Amino acid sequence: MATQTSHTVLSLRGCSPFTKSSSFGLIDFRRCSSSIELSSLFNFTYCYIYPRNAYCTHSKRRSRGPVMAAKKESKGTKQGDGKYKHTVDLPKTSFGMRANSSIREPEIQKLWDENQVFKKVSEKNNGGSFILHDGPPYANGDLHMGHALNKIIKDIINRYKLLQNCKVHYIPGWDCHGLPIELKGNVAVIGSRCPKGVDTYKTESKSSQVCQSNREGTNGIFQGLVSRFGVWADWDHPYLTLDPEYEAAQIEVFGQMVFKGYIYRGRKPVHWSPSSRTALAEAELEYPEGHVSKSMYAIFTILTTPTKGGPIDEFLPKLSLAIWTTTPWTIPANAAVAVNPKLQYAIVEVQSPSPAEIPSSPEDKKRRIGSVLKGQDTPFLIVALDLIPTLEAKWNVKLLVKKTVFGSDLENCRYAHPITGQECPVVIGGDYITTESGTGLVHTAPGHGQDDYLTGLKYNLPIISPVDDEGKFTEEAGIFNGLDVLGDGNAAVIDHLDERSLIVLVEPYKHKYPYDWRTKKPTIFRATAQWFASVEGFREAAMDAINQVTWTPPQAENRISTMTSSRSDWCISRQRTWGVPIPVLYHVETKEPLLNEETVAHIKSIISQKGSDAWWYMSVEDLLPERYRDKASDYVKGTDTMDVWFDSGSSWAAVLETRDGLHWPADLYVEGTDQHRGWFQSSLLTSVATKGKAPYSGVITHGFVLDERGLKMSKSLGNVVDPRTIIEGGKNQEEAPSYGADVLRLWVSSVDYSGDVLIGPQVLRQMSDIYRKLRGTLRFLLGNLHDWKAENAIPYDELPEIDQHALFQLETIVKNIQESYESYQFFKIFQTIQRFAIVDLSNFYFDVAKDRLYVGGASSFTRRSCQTVLAFHLLSIVRVIAPILPHLAEDVWQNLPFEYTLDNTDIAKFVFESKWPQVNPTWLAFPEKEIQFWGKILELRTEVNKALETARTGKLIGSSLEAKVYLHTSDDSLAVRLRNRCQPKIDADSLHRIFLTSQVEIVSRVEDAPNENIAYSGEYLIQGEKKIWIGVSRAEGSKCERCWNFTAEVGSFVDHPTLCKRCHDVIADQPLPALAAVS
Ligand SMILES: [Zn+2]
């Protein structure tokens, strides 16, 4: 419906009178502008990716005057006589449009390496030191997206601190004691340690050779990949948990804890893995879906009650306790039955239905009805009152309540042990006894369960655990001796009880059950003699220490507090073939451990020289201090090793306290959220126990990397994203192009890592688009500064307002970005910089600046003032993005057309020598009133563009320079300010320059506009309230051949009849035309 006749459009935002195609354009634009509003409103919390269409709204809609002219001419197209093309200052730079990252990034990394940039910058910086202590990942060479996320977050922080003038020391670490290495089975290559008891033990030198090959092998693979991410670290001096110095420091930590009384030996049920024959910590367990146990309802016959004539005596001797367990194999270790004193229990009579009444279901095949229900003479049972309906349904019987009592009434009743027949007590248990499942009476085996163990302590119950390392019953279990508790042993116990008419029902039971995280096999709870760190002894100090640490995100503090306040003593001994030994000798006869300052110091000094292998190959005599030598035959070496979490948890002592330039506590630890119960916690405990304080001032935790749909990555799903493929590209470069490390790093910066993060092809394509846009922004800046010299800078006070406003915006984002780095919220930086480059620069400032830069005259005020602003933008942007996009930033820096001098007159040859941009308070002090006015102008410009677009669609104009814009507003003060803008002191501030039109006129009344010329007009709302009328006509005068602006001046100069006054003046000032430069 575009017409030649004049019509008025009431600007209703949802209603468009235009043709379908142009209304699409408007809707797109509105979408984009509303997202700008939204995002500024919410400070960009929600808007992660800037809308794609925002990139192209301007360039697509508007044809550009001088740029088009010069470009066409440079290609030889006839465009006038091309007489002035050499006077147009087009951008030129050697900085490529394309990243060419597969070649350029390694070149830049080589440049850094050869010049030792990281080391030198760190040495020169004098703003204090910053220590981010690297957690030791398992050195098994399998690098995945989780590592990429972790290492890049760390590198972004370190690089930011370098720009902040800090000395940054970052020592990468590798955990070499973890089982993944053992399981790889490649002992000769990967580890230095000798399996215990292997006779043909390697010699010491052999062992260190192996250690060396591990260093070069595993560490090398990792280092190669991680450094390809652009991660700066002291790669030549990593720390390995199997370094002798490391192990010695760990022994020292252990010794300190012993002397403070925090280490003890005790018999206690621990998670035990029969498959790897060792105790496991909570952190080494996993709970896979689908575990099914055999659950059993059994009865224990009551023998006596505590008081004669008590409430239940009348049911004797036909009275039994009904219990339920999911681990029938623990019955031989039964020591008591526990009840909840506050619960009501019922004595019930079992009434079995006749066989005809029993409905059969498919479930029945898996169930085994016990002899209790099959027999004629069913005893009275005690069960929790609330559970009767559940049990009736499960057992398929009627339970007739004969009497009810409280749990407390049952205490000290005695029953016959179902296997040995010995008398055992009914005891009062804790709150863990509920009516959620089972019978409300808990079979208690203190040797096989934590709650049972604690109840056992109260009643001094025996800790029976007749199960060996392999998970087989021992002689103590009598007839079950030698049977596998998780296999035939379990079945044998059930059969045995059933023969004695003690089973009600056996059925499969699906529940969470702990598995060994490495062997993926089920574990058991088993009491063994172990070494413990008494967390109870320093729990309060640990809680205080947690309080002193800055946790990011803040909710992490809750997590670690809860885990620390509720955790039981830390079992630190393991029965492994690898690892650092618990440095204890035992007396052969008394079995008493020999552990004192003298022995620990002696063993530590041996390990610091020979490594912990020495423990296994040296004789007892040599391991004993002088004083004990002659009694060597009285002692044997202990064979326990330390929990691997004790190894890595000692890294603060082994690394922070021993290496030059480092300090304890570290400034920061950064790992995945799983480390709350792993490394963060073990480091905290060892540090608090020995030094009373956490080993870190701050902790950052991050989530896991999932695929684009939020699913866990797995080979079977085929959704694994490999960081190497992102950088180098896949086999099919169409599907998996080589994006380079910076695109990967940009992705890391874009995600809110405090939760789980997503990655996939779609996300990467978006990142690549944004990277290109940023690169384009920087290229524009470089290209237009090719002839720039610092001495050409125009003082701030003399700059046009548009430039002062631009510097205000620049300074504001630099300040915001700094705040976001300080709070480690990189996604805010990503959003800020993206919006700034697209909305503030590309769509506005650069768009307007091209006229001044290209045709304003090489040495003119208008161009130089603009270049002053561009130079500041270039120097600030390149530095604030450098921590995230170091290759891009360095590439820009190496292509800088001028030198950058530091305060101390040194020239910054590399971007990381340049330091963080200083905040300029003058720029930030741009008056509030002016900021608001510029806000209106920018919105007005958006509306004018819509009107121009309509005129262009209607073929009234081609380039926007062919238009004249009429404005009317009933807001008088706004009208005055706009009118002043039509003829400002400085040409660059003119409204027509800002709108990219040839003329703008402010009319007092709409009727004053020359109606016959105005083909397009409409009324628009500015800032949601001010109505502005906009009219568009063809520009007055003729087109200047050089700058394409229309003016009546064209034709008035005899020497240059096709030029406007501005161009005429430029030509006069510039007798020697600048060389044409088109890049
Ligand atoms: Zn001109």
Side-chain angles (χ1 to χ4, degrees):
M1 205 175 97
T3 63
Q4 296 298 319
T5 54
S6 149
H7 63 265
T8 301
V9 180
L10 250 180
S11 177
L12 297 173
R13 286 189 165 234
C15 155
S16 169
F18 308 123
T19 57
K20 206 175 176 194
S21 62
S22 66
S23 73
F24 258 110
L26 281 173
I27 287 164
D28 279 352
F29 194 77
R30 255 196 306 277
R31 255 173 45 200
C32 138
S33 62
S34 68
S35 79
I36 299 167
E37 288 153 21
L38 258 185
S39 10
S40 45
L41 212 63
F42 292 112
N43 198 17
F44 279 93
T45 313
Y46 300 110
C47 172
Y48 282 79
I49 308 294
Y50 210 71
R52 245 165 194 262
N53 54 17
Y55 303 159
C56 52
T57 42
H58 283 238
S59 50
K60 262 192 188 166
R61 284 186 314 102
R62 317 182 65 187
S63 52
R64 225 160 299 285
V67 197
M68 298 293 284
K71 283 211 167 155
K72 274 185 185 169
E73 286 180 33
S74 73
K75 284 177 191 158
T77 318
K78 285 216 165 151
Q79 178 82 35
D81 59 8
K83 185 156 86 184
Y84 302 107
K85 66 177 181 183
H86 298 306
T87 71
V88 174
D89 297 288
L90 284 181
K92 64 172 174 187
T93 176
S94 50
F95 180 78
M97 182 106 76
R98 300 171 64 91
N100 198 15
S101 56
S102 54
I103 292 169
R104 192 66 187 131
E105 285 182 351
E107 278 174 5
I108 288 167
Q109 289 172 359
K110 197 167 158 230
L111 182 77
W112 289 333
D113 286 350
E114 285 172 355
N115 292 278
Q116 294 192 289
V117 179
F118 177 36
K119 191 163 168 255
K120 286 187 179 159
V121 171
S122 191
E123 276 166 6
K124 255 190 218 166
N125 282 352
N126 54 13
S129 64
F130 176 80
I131 309 301
L132 194 167
H133 182 42
D134 191 30
Y138 288 118
N140 56 3
D142 185 17
L143 191 98
H144 53 71
M145 279 308 300
H147 292 118
L149 177 72
N150 178 263
K151 297 291 180 187
I152 291 172
I153 289 173
K154 288 173 177 170
D155 192 59
I156 291 174
I157 295 168
N158 278 335
R159 285 179 184 262
Y160 167 72
K161 293 291 179 184
L162 274 180
L163 284 176
Q164 288 289 349
N165 198 26
C166 291
K167 289 187 183 300
V168 173
H169 296 275
Y170 178 62
I171 316 288
W174 315 111
D175 184 345
C176 310
H177 291 153
L179 251 181
I181 299 167
E182 290 175 44
L183 291 184
K184 284 220 152 187
N186 200 349
V187 172
V189 177
I190 306 256
S192 75
R193 216 154 312 282
C194 173
K196 279 186 303 194
V198 173
D199 297 333
T200 54
Y201 184 64
K202 307 174 192 88
T203 62
E204 194 181 339
S205 63
K206 171 93 176 180
S207 152
S208 68
Q209 270 172 19
V210 176
C211 176
Q212 194 56 34
S213 86
N214 172 50
R215 239 174 223 290
E216 287 158 8
T218 307
N219 185 30
I221 297 164
F222 245 78
Q223 178 193 331
L225 283 169
V226 176
S227 61
R228 182 62 187 85
F229 298 157
V231 171
W232 272 350
D234 190 354
W235 294 116
D236 294 337
H237 309 97
Y239 76 86
L240 277 71
T241 58
L242 53 62
D243 282 336
E245 314 86 76
Y246 189 106
E247 292 175 335
Q250 181 181 340
I251 294 289
E252 173 69 27
V253 171
F254 173 79
Q256 290 296 325
M257 288 175 72
V258 171
F259 310 141
K260 289 190 187 253
Y262 294 146
I263 300 286
Y264 68 92
R265 188 164 164 83
R267 192 171 152 84
K268 209 175 162 181
V270 292
H271 288 286
W272 182 271
S273 170
S275 51
S276 51
R277 296 189 198 186
T278 180
L280 295 176
E282 192 60 43
E284 296 167 305
L285 300 172
E286 55 188 31
Y287 296 83
E289 291 293 319
H291 176 87
V292 178
S293 292
K294 260 187 193 172
S295 79
M296 168 181 92
Y297 292 91
I299 61 170
F300 299 165
T301 312
I302 291 186
L303 301 171
T304 60
T305 59
T307 44
K308 252 207 155 117
I312 58 171
D313 274 10
E314 56 177 299
F315 301 99
L316 294 178
K318 272 191 65 188
L319 185 59
S320 290
L321 304 159
I323 62 100
W324 178 71
T325 177
T326 58
T327 51
W329 61 267
T330 60
I331 294 289
N334 175 274
V337 166
V339 292
N340 185 329
K342 294 172 215 150
L343 280 185
Q344 271 200 301
Y345 291 86
I347 290 113
V348 296
E349 187 184 337
V350 182
Q351 295 189 328
S352 303
S354 65
E357 286 176 77
I358 303 173
S360 68
S361 70
E363 287 290 298
D364 284 349
K365 282 185 189 150
K366 295 180 195 158
R367 289 150 50 107
R368 169 172 165 185
I369 309 289
S371 43
V372 172
L373 296 183
K374 288 179 192 154
Q376 296 295 312
D377 195 17
T378 321
F380 296 107
L381 303 181
I382 303 182
V383 297
L385 184 66
D386 290 352
L387 281 163
I388 289 177
T390 316
L391 294 173
E392 283 181 330
K394 270 213 182 295
W395 298 352
N396 202 13
V397 294
K398 271 313 251 184
L399 296 177
L400 211 64
V401 178
K402 307 297 275 187
K403 190 161 203 171
T404 61
V405 293
F406 277 100
S408 50
D409 297 326
L410 300 172
E411 190 183 10
N412 293 327
C413 285
R414 301 189 78 82
Y415 65 91
H417 188 283
I419 294 165
T420 65
Q422 281 174 333
E423 269 191 29
C424 299
V426 175
V427 298
I428 301 294
D431 291 338
Y432 62 92
I433 303 175
T434 66
T435 52
E436 271 167 34
S437 58
T439 62
L441 296 100
V442 174
H443 144 59
T444 299
H448 293 301
Q450 183 61 20
D451 289 330
D452 300 20
Y453 172 74
L454 293 175
T455 301
L457 286 184
K458 271 197 296 190
Y459 286 87
N460 204 16
L461 299 175
I463 299 173
I464 306 162
S465 182
V467 178
D468 68 9
D469 290 0
E470 290 175 59
K472 292 192 169 148
F473 280 119
T474 60
E475 274 179 31
E476 201 186 345
I479 52 165
F480 305 113
N481 185 14
L483 299 179
D484 181 357
V485 300
L486 290 174
D488 47 7
N490 210 33
V493 170
I494 295 170
D495 289 344
H496 184 80
L497 260 58
D498 207 18
E499 281 160 23
R500 297 178 153 217
S501 293
L502 297 174
I503 297 279
V504 182
L505 182 76
V506 178
E507 63 176 359
Y509 182 71
K510 205 168 165 180
H511 63 143
K512 284 182 116 185
Y513 190 88
Y515 276 56
D516 182 328
W517 69 332
R518 286 155 180 158
T519 61
K520 312 290 178 199
K521 298 232 166 84
T523 62
I524 58 176
F525 240 113
R526 168 182 181 243
T528 53
Q530 299 289 348
W531 288 94
F532 293 88
S534 161
V535 177
E536 199 48 54
F538 52 88
R539 193 188 309 276
E540 221 167 283
M543 298 304 287
D544 282 350
I546 288 170
N547 214 5
Q548 308 288 320
V549 174
T550 309
W551 300 89
T552 309
Q555 56 268 34
E557 181 169 354
N558 263 339
R559 258 190 101 175
I560 192 141
S561 294
T562 312
M563 285 177 186
T564 310
S565 69
S566 65
R567 77 163 292 159
S568 47
D569 285 353
W570 176 12
C571 176
I572 57 165
S573 50
R574 293 292 183 275
Q575 291 69 44
R576 290 240 163 85
T577 50
W578 301 82
V580 175
I582 294 206
V584 180
L585 294 116
Y586 298 88
H587 195 271
V588 176
E589 276 169 24
T590 66
K591 312 279 187 234
E592 275 301 301
L594 176 64
L595 178 64
N596 56 43
E597 290 195 38
E598 224 181 324
T599 60
V600 170
H602 182 70
I603 293 162
K604 185 192 149 192
S605 95
I606 292 172
I607 287 180
S608 73
Q609 289 159 31
K610 305 173 190 240
S612 63
D613 298 349
W615 179 262
W616 313 114
Y617 66 72
M618 280 174 69
S619 68
V620 170
E621 195 176 351
D622 291 337
L623 289 170
L624 282 168
E626 193 68 52
R627 190 151 73 81
Y628 297 92
R629 293 264 158 91
D630 54 341
K631 295 182 214 133
S633 58
D634 292 348
Y635 291 98
V636 287
K637 290 186 245 181
T639 55
D640 291 341
T641 55
M642 280 196 221
D643 177 11
V644 288
W645 292 107
F646 202 100
D647 297 357
S648 57
S650 303
S651 66
W652 56 266
V655 183
L656 295 176
E657 290 201 316
T658 59
R659 299 271 187 119
D660 284 345
L662 304 191
H663 56 68
W664 173 96
D667 293 288
L668 202 59
Y669 277 36
V670 181
E671 305 297 332
T673 49
D674 52 334
Q675 299 303 329
H676 281 126
R677 63 172 194 171
W679 191 54
F680 295 147
Q681 179 147 168
S682 62
S683 300
L684 176 84
L685 296 179
T686 54
S687 182
V688 169
T690 53
K691 303 187 63 130
K693 215 176 139 187
Y696 33 69
S697 308
V699 170
I700 294 180
T701 53
H702 58 76
F704 293 94
V705 185
L706 307 175
D707 80 356
E708 268 170 343
R709 292 166 298 167
L711 300 176
K712 203 174 156 186
M713 290 185 191
S714 75
K715 277 188 185 145
S716 57
L717 282 177
N719 62 349
V720 177
V721 178
D722 180 356
R724 192 203 286 261
T725 310
I726 295 175
I727 294 175
E728 294 169 2
K731 279 178 198 140
N732 180 347
Q733 291 275 324
E734 287 273 290
E735 276 174 24
S738 59
Y739 288 115
D742 273 2
V743 169
L744 177 62
R745 296 176 66 110
L746 187 64
W747 166 77
V748 170
S749 81
S750 75
V751 296
D752 179 359
Y753 61 73
S754 63
D756 289 344
V757 301
L758 312 182
I759 196 166
Q762 185 86 8
V763 174
L764 284 166
R765 268 195 297 277
Q766 282 171 341
M767 288 303 138
S768 173
D769 278 353
I770 293 159
Y771 172 87
R772 263 202 299 277
K773 187 69 200 169
L774 286 172
R775 194 173 175 91
T777 302
L778 289 159
R779 187 164 184 270
F780 179 89
L781 290 165
L782 283 170
N784 284 294
L785 290 165
H786 65 88
D787 56 345
W788 175 248
K789 290 183 183 63
E791 60 263 33
N792 294 342
I794 306 290
Y796 177 79
D797 291 342
E798 295 169 25
L799 289 176
E801 259 186 48
I802 187 174
D803 293 345
Q804 292 182 342
H805 178 250
L807 289 177
F808 162 76
Q809 287 193 312
L810 172 69
E811 214 54 358
T812 306
I813 67 119
V814 169
K815 195 170 141 261
N816 289 344
I817 287 175
Q818 181 167 355
E819 283 165 11
S820 301
Y821 273 122
E822 291 290 339
S823 60
Y824 310 116
Q825 289 176 302
F826 311 135
F827 67 94
K828 287 190 179 166
I829 300 171
F830 170 81
Q831 289 156 9
T832 305
I833 198 78
Q834 192 193 169
R835 178 189 194 274
F836 183 63
I838 294 163
V839 180
D840 298 325
L841 296 181
S842 285
N843 288 1
F844 175 60
Y845 191 81
F846 290 177
D847 204 26
V848 173
K850 282 167 187 163
D851 177 80
R852 296 163 69 187
L853 293 166
Y854 301 166
V855 297
S859 56
S860 64
F861 170 84
T862 198
R863 182 156 187 269
R864 288 209 167 149
S865 56
C866 189
Q867 282 183 312
T868 305
V869 171
L870 296 189
F872 284 127
H873 273 73
L874 178 61
L875 289 170
S876 286
I877 294 173
V878 73
R879 285 182 284 172
V880 301
I881 63 162
I884 294 168
L885 302 167
H887 305 94
L888 174 61
E890 193 64 79
D891 204 3
V892 168
W893 203 265
Q894 297 309 318
N895 283 285
L896 277 189
F898 49 86
E899 283 180 335
Y900 179 74
T901 314
L902 295 162
D903 291 345
N904 65 2
T905 72
D906 285 356
I907 289 165
K909 288 191 184 138
F910 304 95
V911 66
F912 283 91
E913 288 179 342
S914 66
K915 306 245 184 329
W916 186 261
Q918 296 269 317
V919 172
N920 187 323
T922 314
W923 299 356
L924 273 179
F926 192 66
E928 181 62 32
K929 203 175 75 205
E930 298 301 318
I931 298 167
Q932 283 178 6
F933 180 58
W934 273 95
K936 282 179 197 146
I937 288 190
L938 290 174
E939 204 171 326
L940 179 56
R941 183 177 190 264
T942 305
E943 301 305 323
V944 166
N945 283 341
K946 289 180 197 166
L948 290 171
E949 179 61 21
T950 318
R952 215 166 71 84
T953 316
K955 310 248 189 278
L956 175 74
I957 54 167
S959 151
S960 62
L961 289 172
E962 292 169 24
K964 172 171 179 173
V965 167
Y966 294 88
L967 298 175
H968 166 74
T969 169
S970 49
D971 180 333
D972 290 341
S973 72
L974 181 59
V976 169
R977 297 207 67 171
L978 289 175
R979 197 165 281 127
N980 290 342
R981 283 282 146 177
C982 291
Q983 310 236 288
K985 279 186 291 200
I986 303 176
D987 178 65
D989 286 332
S990 304
L991 271 191
H992 79 94
R993 297 274 185 234
I994 290 168
F995 294 162
L996 297 194
T997 58
S998 282
Q999 291 114 21
V1000 175
E1001 189 180 329
I1002 314 298
V1003 292
S1004 306
R1005 297 184 306 163
V1006 174
E1007 303 85 80
D1008 294 349
N1011 204 28
E1012 68 281 8
N1013 293 338
I1014 299 175
Y1016 296 92
S1017 64
E1019 216 164 9
Y1020 298 86
L1021 281 177
I1022 303 298
Q1023 298 189 335
E1025 46 177 25
K1026 294 203 165 56
K1027 265 191 205 162
I1028 295 223
W1029 174 89
I1030 302 171
V1032 179
S1033 75
R1034 283 210 46 100
E1036 293 157 7
S1038 312
K1039 179 176 170 184
C1040 167
E1041 188 194 341
R1042 184 169 172 275
C1043 73
W1044 287 28
N1045 277 261
F1046 281 67
T1047 156
E1049 298 153 353
V1050 175
S1052 52
F1053 306 101
V1054 180
D1055 48 348
H1056 294 287
T1058 57
L1059 293 190
C1060 69
K1061 179 168 186 310
R1062 175 178 63 161
C1063 290
H1064 187 258
D1065 291 351
V1066 170
I1067 299 301
D1069 280 352
Q1070 214 167 298
L1072 293 171
L1075 282 177
V1078 179
S1079 54

